[in-house]
Amino acid sequence: MNQVVIIGGGASGLMAALTAAENPENRVILLERQQRIGRKLLATGNGRCNLTNTGASPANYHGEQAAFAAPALEKFTPRDTLDFFHGLGLLTVEEYGGRVYPLSNSANSVLDVLRFALEKAGVELRCACSARQIMRQGAGYSVQTDAGTLEADRLIVACGGAAGAKLGGVMDGYELLKPLGHKRTALRPSLTQILTEPDYPRALKGVRAQAHVRLTAREELLGESRGELQFTETGVSGPAAFDLSRLAAANGDGLRLHADFLPDGADAFALLCARRETFPDQPASELFTGMLHNRLGRMLVKYAALEANRPLGSLSDKELRRAARACTDFTLAVTGTEGFDNAQVTAGGVRTAGFNPETLESWFMPGLFVCGELLDIDGDCGGYNLQWAWASGRLAGRLGT
Ligand SMILES: Cc1cc2nc3c(=O)[nH]c(=O)nc-3n(C[C@H](O)[C@H](O)[C@H](O)COP(=O)(O)OP(=O)(O)OC[C@H]3O[C@@H](n4cnc5c(N)ncnc54)[C@H](O)[C@@H]3O)c2cc1C
């Protein structure tokens, strides 16, 4: 019998454990420092668990060596994730943008079927048991835990990253691997709220809008995203903001966020001219009525420095061009991002150069595997990070076979 120890009972560790347990030669022991497994999983997707994205491809992933993720993602695709979960009896539904959720709309369902599968596969769970230190011992490893030392012929480290600290995001994985020669990159919060000058967002708090968002530094485009933007007390959140947050966290001062609230190809000036012609007696405050959320429309009128009660018919072309620019290039100065507590994922992690992308085994510590968010791979918003957790957990759980 091979003793396989897995440190971390999150998405990637659970998948690694189930995969390793498919080989009857393996005795699989799963360590989890919290009272129960999958705590973060329960909080994903606002409690609904966006478990994969049918459009996920290596292009959705980032890191110093983003291409490292490709073999794992290609060996276990979103289709494989769906087949795997359907095989466990989970029913799923695909929503806008390829996001997949359990039909029950409850993350509990995902964790429940995984728990049943672990039990059936005979995986030994040890909860409330932290791994404290890993040491090379003979051809294997010894793992010091709160409850004594465990021997491992093969070891999988799946401790996750620093994000979502309230749900168990910790630095443990980085610390456990460092003495074995596996260093990490700088860590930054990602998929988190972008903080901006607060005046406009505060006034728009709670408003959601579809937007094409660009992030610039001194006129240079750093990145862009499309999707829902949500205004908050201190800035912007929602998928369109989340996808730019890793860049906002990495690029320091002088950043600006530009939102275009109209669909691609729309001629804002022509639309506003038509509005002026159709409703010349309406006040300027109604310029965007029917086009955008009312509160956003009124705010854009103010942003364009138009008097709210002037009749639309009295607005000059120059003023309408200003309003057109307001709704296609609404600009906010960026002051930072939220920290790890509120981030969904960690950008950066254990350097991938130390691992074989085809197996996720260490190049210089045979029998040591790493998977999930702990590695320097992070995905976009929309089910991509769990897809990485499943795919990398699957590959690590094969233990190089
Ligand atoms: C609020 C929130 C919402 C999210 N929503 C989504 C979503 O809808 N879709 C999506 O794709 N992604 C989402 N994510 C991201 C996704 O949850 C993570 O990328 C994914 O869970 C990472 O899996 P993992 O197994 O690598 O790490 P984790 O899920 O963090 O699991 C690591 C586990 O290891 C345990 N551990 C750590 N140190 C030790 C130790 N020393 N000994 C023993 N155990 C240890 C931890 O307690 C934890 O249970 C969300 C994240 C958050 C925080």
Short mmCIF file of all heavy atoms in Angstrom, two decimals, residues 7-13 31-34 36-41 43-46 49-52 101 129-132 158-161 163-164 167-170 172-173 176 343-345 371-374 382-387 389, ligand 1:
data_model
loop_
_atom_site.label_atom_id
_atom_site.label_comp_id
_atom_site.label_asym_id
_atom_site.label_seq_id
_atom_site.Cartn_x
_atom_site.Cartn_y
_atom_site.Cartn_z
N ILE A 7 -2.73 17.57 2.00
CA ILE A 7 -2.89 18.65 2.98
C ILE A 7 -3.83 19.70 2.40
O ILE A 7 -3.47 20.38 1.44
CB ILE A 7 -1.54 19.28 3.36
CG1 ILE A 7 -0.54 18.19 3.77
CG2 ILE A 7 -1.73 20.29 4.48
CD1 ILE A 7 0.86 18.74 4.08
N GLY A 8 -5.04 19.81 2.95
CA GLY A 8 -6.00 20.81 2.49
C GLY A 8 -7.25 20.18 1.93
O GLY A 8 -7.20 19.49 0.90
N GLY A 9 -8.37 20.40 2.61
CA GLY A 9 -9.64 19.84 2.17
C GLY A 9 -10.51 20.88 1.49
O GLY A 9 -11.69 21.04 1.79
N GLY A 10 -9.90 21.62 0.54
CA GLY A 10 -10.68 22.54 -0.31
C GLY A 10 -10.93 21.87 -1.65
O GLY A 10 -10.71 20.66 -1.81
N ALA A 11 -11.38 22.68 -2.63
CA ALA A 11 -11.77 22.10 -3.92
C ALA A 11 -10.68 21.23 -4.53
O ALA A 11 -10.93 20.08 -4.92
CB ALA A 11 -12.14 23.24 -4.88
N SER A 12 -9.44 21.74 -4.58
CA SER A 12 -8.39 20.98 -5.27
C SER A 12 -7.98 19.76 -4.46
O SER A 12 -7.72 18.69 -5.05
CB SER A 12 -7.18 21.88 -5.56
OG SER A 12 -6.54 22.25 -4.36
N GLY A 13 -7.92 19.89 -3.14
CA GLY A 13 -7.54 18.74 -2.30
C GLY A 13 -8.59 17.64 -2.35
O GLY A 13 -8.25 16.44 -2.36
N LEU A 31 -5.91 15.84 5.23
CA LEU A 31 -5.84 16.69 6.43
C LEU A 31 -6.50 18.03 6.16
O LEU A 31 -6.26 18.65 5.12
CB LEU A 31 -4.38 16.97 6.80
CG LEU A 31 -3.43 15.80 6.99
CD1 LEU A 31 -2.05 16.31 7.38
CD2 LEU A 31 -3.98 14.87 8.05
N GLU A 32 -7.31 18.50 7.09
CA GLU A 32 -7.95 19.81 6.95
C GLU A 32 -7.84 20.55 8.28
O GLU A 32 -8.22 20.01 9.31
CB GLU A 32 -9.42 19.64 6.53
CG GLU A 32 -10.25 20.90 6.60
CD GLU A 32 -9.65 22.11 5.87
OE1 GLU A 32 -9.31 22.00 4.69
OE2 GLU A 32 -9.51 23.18 6.52
N ARG A 33 -7.30 21.78 8.21
CA ARG A 33 -7.06 22.48 9.48
C ARG A 33 -8.36 23.01 10.11
O ARG A 33 -8.44 23.21 11.31
CB ARG A 33 -6.05 23.62 9.31
CG ARG A 33 -6.46 24.70 8.35
CD ARG A 33 -5.40 25.78 8.25
NE ARG A 33 -5.55 26.74 9.33
CZ ARG A 33 -6.42 27.73 9.33
NH1 ARG A 33 -7.24 27.89 8.29
NH2 ARG A 33 -6.49 28.56 10.32
N GLN A 34 -9.39 23.22 9.29
CA GLN A 34 -10.65 23.73 9.85
C GLN A 34 -11.50 22.55 10.36
O GLN A 34 -11.19 21.40 10.16
CB GLN A 34 -11.40 24.53 8.80
CG GLN A 34 -10.56 25.71 8.29
CD GLN A 34 -11.35 26.67 7.46
OE1 GLN A 34 -12.12 27.46 7.97
NE2 GLN A 34 -11.16 26.61 6.16
N ARG A 36 -14.25 21.53 9.36
CA ARG A 36 -14.85 20.70 8.30
C ARG A 36 -14.22 21.05 6.95
O ARG A 36 -13.63 22.14 6.79
CB ARG A 36 -16.37 20.88 8.26
CG ARG A 36 -16.76 22.30 8.18
CD ARG A 36 -18.24 22.51 8.44
NE ARG A 36 -18.51 23.93 8.44
CZ ARG A 36 -19.51 24.51 7.82
NH1 ARG A 36 -20.39 23.78 7.17
NH2 ARG A 36 -19.69 25.80 7.85
N ILE A 37 -14.38 20.14 6.01
CA ILE A 37 -13.81 20.34 4.67
C ILE A 37 -14.70 21.31 3.87
O ILE A 37 -15.87 21.52 4.20
CB ILE A 37 -13.70 19.00 3.91
CG1 ILE A 37 -15.07 18.30 3.85
CG2 ILE A 37 -12.65 18.10 4.54
CD1 ILE A 37 -15.12 17.14 2.88
N GLY A 38 -14.09 21.91 2.85
CA GLY A 38 -14.86 22.66 1.85
C GLY A 38 -15.55 23.92 2.34
O GLY A 38 -16.56 24.33 1.77
N ARG A 39 -14.98 24.55 3.34
CA ARG A 39 -15.67 25.72 3.89
C ARG A 39 -15.74 26.86 2.85
O ARG A 39 -16.76 27.53 2.70
CB ARG A 39 -14.92 26.18 5.15
CG ARG A 39 -15.72 27.15 5.91
CD ARG A 39 -15.46 27.22 7.37
NE ARG A 39 -16.02 28.45 7.85
CZ ARG A 39 -15.31 29.45 8.34
NH1 ARG A 39 -14.02 29.33 8.49
NH2 ARG A 39 -15.91 30.56 8.69
N LYS A 40 -14.62 27.07 2.14
CA LYS A 40 -14.63 28.15 1.14
C LYS A 40 -15.57 27.81 -0.01
O LYS A 40 -16.27 28.68 -0.54
CB LYS A 40 -13.21 28.38 0.62
CG LYS A 40 -13.08 29.66 -0.18
CD LYS A 40 -11.71 29.82 -0.77
CE LYS A 40 -10.70 30.33 0.24
NZ LYS A 40 -9.37 30.50 -0.39
N LEU A 41 -15.60 26.54 -0.35
CA LEU A 41 -16.47 26.10 -1.44
C LEU A 41 -17.92 26.51 -1.18
O LEU A 41 -18.65 26.91 -2.08
CB LEU A 41 -16.35 24.57 -1.56
CG LEU A 41 -16.81 23.89 -2.83
CD1 LEU A 41 -16.13 24.49 -4.06
CD2 LEU A 41 -16.52 22.40 -2.75
N ALA A 43 -18.97 29.09 0.22
CA ALA A 43 -19.18 30.53 0.06
C ALA A 43 -19.06 30.97 -1.39
O ALA A 43 -19.34 32.12 -1.72
CB ALA A 43 -18.14 31.28 0.90
N THR A 44 -18.65 30.05 -2.28
CA THR A 44 -18.40 30.47 -3.66
C THR A 44 -19.71 30.84 -4.36
O THR A 44 -20.78 30.35 -4.02
CB THR A 44 -17.69 29.37 -4.48
OG1 THR A 44 -18.48 28.17 -4.40
CG2 THR A 44 -16.30 29.08 -3.95
N GLY A 45 -19.53 31.75 -5.34
CA GLY A 45 -20.69 32.17 -6.14
C GLY A 45 -21.82 32.69 -5.29
O GLY A 45 -22.98 32.38 -5.57
N ASN A 46 -21.50 33.45 -4.24
CA ASN A 46 -22.53 33.95 -3.31
C ASN A 46 -23.38 32.82 -2.76
O ASN A 46 -24.60 32.94 -2.63
CB ASN A 46 -23.45 34.97 -4.00
CG ASN A 46 -22.79 36.30 -4.13
OD1 ASN A 46 -22.00 36.69 -3.26
ND2 ASN A 46 -23.07 37.00 -5.22
N CYS A 49 -22.15 28.62 -5.77
CA CYS A 49 -21.04 27.85 -6.34
C CYS A 49 -21.06 27.82 -7.87
O CYS A 49 -21.67 26.95 -8.49
CB CYS A 49 -20.98 26.42 -5.80
SG CYS A 49 -19.50 25.56 -6.38
N ASN A 50 -20.35 28.75 -8.43
CA ASN A 50 -20.14 28.79 -9.88
C ASN A 50 -18.99 27.81 -10.17
O ASN A 50 -17.83 28.18 -10.17
CB ASN A 50 -19.79 30.23 -10.27
CG ASN A 50 -19.47 30.42 -11.73
OD1 ASN A 50 -18.97 31.46 -12.12
ND2 ASN A 50 -19.74 29.41 -12.55
N LEU A 51 -19.36 26.53 -10.38
CA LEU A 51 -18.35 25.47 -10.29
C LEU A 51 -17.46 25.31 -11.50
O LEU A 51 -16.39 24.70 -11.40
CB LEU A 51 -18.98 24.12 -9.91
CG LEU A 51 -19.85 23.37 -10.90
CD1 LEU A 51 -19.71 21.88 -10.62
CD2 LEU A 51 -21.29 23.77 -10.77
N THR A 52 -17.86 25.84 -12.63
CA THR A 52 -16.95 25.87 -13.79
C THR A 52 -17.48 26.88 -14.80
O THR A 52 -18.50 27.53 -14.57
CB THR A 52 -16.81 24.47 -14.44
OG1 THR A 52 -15.76 24.53 -15.42
CG2 THR A 52 -18.07 23.98 -15.11
N TYR A 101 -23.75 26.41 -12.54
CA TYR A 101 -24.14 26.34 -11.11
C TYR A 101 -24.89 25.03 -10.87
O TYR A 101 -25.45 24.45 -11.80
CB TYR A 101 -25.11 27.49 -10.76
CG TYR A 101 -24.49 28.85 -10.88
CD1 TYR A 101 -24.49 29.53 -12.10
CD2 TYR A 101 -23.89 29.48 -9.78
CE1 TYR A 101 -23.92 30.79 -12.22
CE2 TYR A 101 -23.32 30.73 -9.90
CZ TYR A 101 -23.34 31.38 -11.11
OH TYR A 101 -22.76 32.61 -11.22
N CYS A 129 -7.11 19.49 11.90
CA CYS A 129 -5.75 18.94 11.99
C CYS A 129 -4.85 19.71 11.01
O CYS A 129 -4.92 19.51 9.80
CB CYS A 129 -5.80 17.45 11.63
SG CYS A 129 -4.19 16.65 11.73
N SER A 130 -4.04 20.60 11.56
CA SER A 130 -3.15 21.42 10.73
C SER A 130 -1.83 20.71 10.48
O SER A 130 -1.25 20.17 11.41
CB SER A 130 -2.80 22.72 11.45
OG SER A 130 -3.76 23.68 11.22
N ALA A 131 -1.38 20.78 9.24
CA ALA A 131 0.01 20.34 8.96
C ALA A 131 0.91 21.49 9.37
O ALA A 131 0.66 22.64 9.01
CB ALA A 131 0.16 20.04 7.48
N ARG A 132 1.96 21.19 10.13
CA ARG A 132 2.85 22.24 10.64
C ARG A 132 4.19 22.27 9.94
O ARG A 132 4.81 23.30 9.82
CB ARG A 132 3.10 22.03 12.14
CG ARG A 132 1.86 22.05 12.99
CD ARG A 132 1.41 23.45 13.21
NE ARG A 132 0.25 23.52 14.08
CZ ARG A 132 -0.55 24.55 14.16
NH1 ARG A 132 -0.35 25.59 13.39
NH2 ARG A 132 -1.58 24.53 14.97
N ALA A 158 -2.26 21.08 -0.95
CA ALA A 158 -3.42 21.73 -1.57
C ALA A 158 -4.01 22.73 -0.58
O ALA A 158 -5.21 22.75 -0.34
CB ALA A 158 -4.46 20.68 -1.98
N CYS A 159 -3.13 23.57 -0.02
CA CYS A 159 -3.55 24.46 1.09
C CYS A 159 -4.23 25.74 0.63
O CYS A 159 -4.58 26.56 1.48
CB CYS A 159 -2.34 24.84 1.94
SG CYS A 159 -1.64 23.44 2.82
N GLY A 160 -4.40 25.96 -0.69
CA GLY A 160 -5.05 27.17 -1.15
C GLY A 160 -4.15 28.38 -0.95
O GLY A 160 -2.96 28.24 -0.60
N GLY A 161 -4.72 29.58 -1.17
CA GLY A 161 -3.93 30.80 -1.09
C GLY A 161 -4.34 31.67 0.07
O GLY A 161 -5.01 31.21 1.01
N ALA A 163 -6.21 34.40 -0.16
CA ALA A 163 -7.48 35.11 -0.36
C ALA A 163 -8.60 34.49 0.48
O ALA A 163 -8.55 33.32 0.83
CB ALA A 163 -7.86 35.07 -1.83
N GLY A 164 -9.62 35.33 0.76
CA GLY A 164 -10.77 34.85 1.52
C GLY A 164 -10.37 34.43 2.93
O GLY A 164 -10.71 33.34 3.40
N LEU A 167 -12.57 32.82 5.38
CA LEU A 167 -13.06 31.47 5.05
C LEU A 167 -11.94 30.45 5.09
O LEU A 167 -12.10 29.32 4.66
CB LEU A 167 -13.67 31.49 3.64
CG LEU A 167 -14.83 32.45 3.47
CD1 LEU A 167 -15.07 32.72 1.99
CD2 LEU A 167 -16.08 31.89 4.12
N GLY A 168 -10.78 30.88 5.61
CA GLY A 168 -9.70 29.91 5.76
C GLY A 168 -8.51 30.15 4.86
O GLY A 168 -7.62 29.31 4.79
N GLY A 169 -8.49 31.27 4.15
CA GLY A 169 -7.31 31.60 3.35
C GLY A 169 -6.14 31.86 4.29
O GLY A 169 -6.23 32.69 5.19
N VAL A 170 -5.05 31.11 4.11
CA VAL A 170 -3.91 31.24 5.02
C VAL A 170 -2.60 31.18 4.22
O VAL A 170 -2.60 30.86 3.04
CB VAL A 170 -3.88 30.09 6.08
CG1 VAL A 170 -4.88 30.32 7.18
CG2 VAL A 170 -4.08 28.73 5.43
N ASP A 172 -0.23 29.11 5.06
CA ASP A 172 0.40 27.83 5.43
C ASP A 172 1.12 27.12 4.29
O ASP A 172 2.23 26.61 4.44
CB ASP A 172 -0.66 26.86 5.98
CG ASP A 172 -1.17 27.27 7.34
OD1 ASP A 172 -1.12 28.48 7.65
OD2 ASP A 172 -1.62 26.38 8.10
N GLY A 173 0.47 27.05 3.15
CA GLY A 173 1.04 26.29 2.03
C GLY A 173 2.39 26.85 1.62
O GLY A 173 3.35 26.09 1.40
N LEU A 176 4.90 25.95 4.35
CA LEU A 176 5.25 24.52 4.38
C LEU A 176 6.23 24.15 3.26
O LEU A 176 7.11 23.31 3.44
CB LEU A 176 3.98 23.66 4.22
CG LEU A 176 3.03 23.59 5.41
CD1 LEU A 176 1.69 22.96 5.01
CD2 LEU A 176 3.66 22.79 6.55
N ALA A 343 -10.88 39.31 -1.05
CA ALA A 343 -10.55 38.87 -2.40
C ALA A 343 -11.00 37.43 -2.59
O ALA A 343 -10.99 36.64 -1.66
CB ALA A 343 -9.05 38.98 -2.64
N GLN A 344 -11.38 37.10 -3.83
CA GLN A 344 -11.79 35.71 -4.10
C GLN A 344 -10.59 34.83 -4.41
O GLN A 344 -10.66 33.62 -4.25
CB GLN A 344 -12.76 35.67 -5.28
CG GLN A 344 -14.11 36.26 -4.94
CD GLN A 344 -15.14 35.94 -6.00
OE1 GLN A 344 -14.89 35.19 -6.93
NE2 GLN A 344 -16.32 36.50 -5.85
N VAL A 345 -9.52 35.43 -4.87
CA VAL A 345 -8.40 34.59 -5.29
C VAL A 345 -7.07 35.33 -5.07
O VAL A 345 -7.06 36.55 -4.96
CB VAL A 345 -8.64 34.13 -6.76
CG1 VAL A 345 -8.43 35.24 -7.74
CG2 VAL A 345 -7.75 32.96 -7.13
N CYS A 371 -1.21 21.53 -5.95
CA CYS A 371 -2.32 21.87 -6.85
C CYS A 371 -3.13 23.04 -6.29
O CYS A 371 -2.97 23.43 -5.14
CB CYS A 371 -3.23 20.66 -7.06
SG CYS A 371 -3.88 19.94 -5.55
N GLY A 372 -4.01 23.58 -7.15
CA GLY A 372 -4.95 24.62 -6.72
C GLY A 372 -4.35 26.01 -6.67
O GLY A 372 -3.33 26.32 -7.29
N GLU A 373 -5.00 26.84 -5.88
CA GLU A 373 -4.67 28.26 -5.81
C GLU A 373 -3.29 28.52 -5.22
O GLU A 373 -2.73 29.61 -5.39
CB GLU A 373 -5.76 28.93 -4.97
CG GLU A 373 -5.79 30.42 -5.09
CD GLU A 373 -6.90 31.02 -4.24
OE1 GLU A 373 -8.05 30.53 -4.29
OE2 GLU A 373 -6.60 31.97 -3.50
N LEU A 374 -2.75 27.56 -4.50
CA LEU A 374 -1.42 27.71 -3.91
C LEU A 374 -0.37 27.99 -4.97
O LEU A 374 0.60 28.71 -4.73
CB LEU A 374 -1.11 26.41 -3.15
CG LEU A 374 0.23 26.30 -2.44
CD1 LEU A 374 0.41 27.42 -1.43
CD2 LEU A 374 0.32 24.95 -1.73
N GLY A 382 -15.75 33.95 -12.93
CA GLY A 382 -16.81 33.27 -13.68
C GLY A 382 -16.70 31.76 -13.67
O GLY A 382 -17.13 31.11 -14.63
N GLY A 383 -16.12 31.18 -12.63
CA GLY A 383 -16.02 29.73 -12.55
C GLY A 383 -14.65 29.19 -12.96
O GLY A 383 -14.41 27.98 -12.90
N TYR A 384 -13.76 30.08 -13.37
CA TYR A 384 -12.45 29.65 -13.89
C TYR A 384 -11.54 29.17 -12.76
O TYR A 384 -10.71 28.29 -12.98
CB TYR A 384 -11.78 30.79 -14.64
CG TYR A 384 -12.60 31.28 -15.81
CD1 TYR A 384 -13.43 32.39 -15.68
CD2 TYR A 384 -12.56 30.62 -17.04
CE1 TYR A 384 -14.19 32.84 -16.75
CE2 TYR A 384 -13.32 31.06 -18.11
CZ TYR A 384 -14.14 32.17 -17.96
OH TYR A 384 -14.90 32.60 -19.00
N ASN A 385 -11.66 29.74 -11.57
CA ASN A 385 -10.74 29.34 -10.49
C ASN A 385 -11.10 27.96 -9.96
O ASN A 385 -10.21 27.17 -9.65
CB ASN A 385 -10.71 30.41 -9.40
CG ASN A 385 -9.90 31.60 -9.88
OD1 ASN A 385 -8.70 31.49 -10.08
ND2 ASN A 385 -10.58 32.71 -10.13
N LEU A 386 -12.38 27.68 -9.85
CA LEU A 386 -12.74 26.31 -9.44
C LEU A 386 -12.37 25.33 -10.54
O LEU A 386 -11.93 24.21 -10.25
CB LEU A 386 -14.22 26.22 -9.07
CG LEU A 386 -14.53 26.78 -7.67
CD1 LEU A 386 -16.03 26.79 -7.40
CD2 LEU A 386 -13.80 25.98 -6.58
N GLN A 387 -12.50 25.72 -11.80
CA GLN A 387 -12.08 24.80 -12.88
C GLN A 387 -10.59 24.47 -12.73
O GLN A 387 -10.18 23.32 -12.90
CB GLN A 387 -12.38 25.41 -14.26
CG GLN A 387 -11.95 24.53 -15.43
CD GLN A 387 -12.57 23.12 -15.41
OE1 GLN A 387 -13.69 22.93 -14.91
NE2 GLN A 387 -11.85 22.14 -15.92
N ALA A 389 -8.95 24.53 -9.88
CA ALA A 389 -8.83 23.67 -8.69
C ALA A 389 -9.16 22.22 -9.05
O ALA A 389 -8.44 21.30 -8.68
CB ALA A 389 -9.75 24.18 -7.58
C1 LIG B 1 -15.99 34.45 -1.40
C2 LIG B 1 -15.40 33.63 -2.53
C3 LIG B 1 -16.20 33.30 -3.60
C4 LIG B 1 -15.66 32.57 -4.67
N1 LIG B 1 -16.48 32.21 -5.70
C5 LIG B 1 -15.98 31.47 -6.72
C6 LIG B 1 -16.84 30.98 -7.74
O1 LIG B 1 -18.07 31.15 -7.70
N2 LIG B 1 -16.27 30.28 -8.77
C7 LIG B 1 -14.91 30.02 -8.82
O2 LIG B 1 -14.45 29.39 -9.77
N3 LIG B 1 -14.09 30.40 -7.82
C8 LIG B 1 -14.60 31.10 -6.76
N4 LIG B 1 -13.76 31.47 -5.75
C9 LIG B 1 -12.34 31.03 -5.78
C10 LIG B 1 -12.25 29.55 -5.37
O3 LIG B 1 -13.05 29.32 -4.23
C11 LIG B 1 -10.80 29.16 -5.05
O4 LIG B 1 -9.96 29.51 -6.11
C12 LIG B 1 -10.71 27.65 -4.78
O5 LIG B 1 -11.50 27.32 -3.67
C13 LIG B 1 -9.27 27.23 -4.54
O6 LIG B 1 -9.26 25.88 -4.18
P1 LIG B 1 -8.04 25.29 -3.34
O7 LIG B 1 -8.37 23.89 -3.06
O8 LIG B 1 -6.78 25.61 -4.03
O9 LIG B 1 -8.01 26.15 -2.00
P2 LIG B 1 -9.11 26.27 -0.84
O10 LIG B 1 -10.47 26.05 -1.37
O11 LIG B 1 -8.79 27.56 -0.16
O12 LIG B 1 -8.77 25.05 0.13
C14 LIG B 1 -7.58 24.97 0.87
C15 LIG B 1 -7.87 24.21 2.13
O13 LIG B 1 -6.65 23.92 2.79
C16 LIG B 1 -6.84 24.06 4.18
N5 LIG B 1 -5.53 24.28 4.80
C17 LIG B 1 -4.73 25.36 4.70
N6 LIG B 1 -3.61 25.20 5.41
C18 LIG B 1 -3.69 23.97 5.97
C19 LIG B 1 -2.82 23.22 6.85
N7 LIG B 1 -1.65 23.73 7.28
N8 LIG B 1 -3.20 21.99 7.24
C20 LIG B 1 -4.39 21.46 6.82
N9 LIG B 1 -5.25 22.12 6.02
C21 LIG B 1 -4.91 23.36 5.59
C22 LIG B 1 -7.78 25.26 4.28
O14 LIG B 1 -8.43 25.32 5.53
C23 LIG B 1 -8.71 25.01 3.11
O15 LIG B 1 -9.84 24.26 3.47
C24 LIG B 1 -14.29 32.19 -4.65
C25 LIG B 1 -13.50 32.51 -3.55
C26 LIG B 1 -14.05 33.22 -2.48
C27 LIG B 1 -13.17 33.54 -1.30
#
